[in-house]
Amino acid sequence: MLLIFGLKTVLRALPGRPATCRNCGRFSQHYLDEEARKFTLFFIPVFTTSKAYRITCSNCGMVSSISSREKKALVG
């Protein structure tokens, strides 16, 4: 019996919003991304093993990791 399994990383853009950047101090648009790692069986995603969230400043490009609680506060 042949069993093919693995992990796959899926990136998804979430709605961003304007905010003040911690690095450059400018009020600009920030983009929010979700990175999910999924367990795959025969190349079909079965379940999510972990999620991470990142926010990126459109002015200086600084990328910061944020928690799921902070993500919920940003998205609404």
Side-chain angles (χ1 to χ4, degrees):
M1 183 171 155
L2 181 65
L3 186 66
I4 301 173
F5 63 93
L7 292 173
K8 177 181 180 180
T9 302
V10 179
L11 292 173
R12 186 173 68 145
L14 299 173
R17 63 181 266 193
T20 303
C21 179
R22 296 180 203 169
N23 187 41
C24 65
R26 291 199 50 191
F27 188 75
S28 61
Q29 183 70 21
H30 284 66
Y31 301 104
L32 186 60
D33 297 318
E34 175 186 68
E35 180 180 306
R37 293 197 47 111
K38 298 183 180 243
F39 178 80
T40 60
L41 185 61
F42 294 106
F43 306 104
I44 299 170
V46 179
F47 59 88
T48 302
T49 59
S50 67
K51 286 186 181 181
Y53 301 98
R54 297 183 308 220
I55 191 161
T56 307
C57 175
S58 64
N59 184 49
C60 66
M62 182 180 145
V63 179
S64 302
S65 295
I66 61 172
S67 67
S68 61
R69 178 178 281 177
E70 292 172 314
K71 189 270 302 183
K72 286 179 185 176
L74 288 172
V75 174

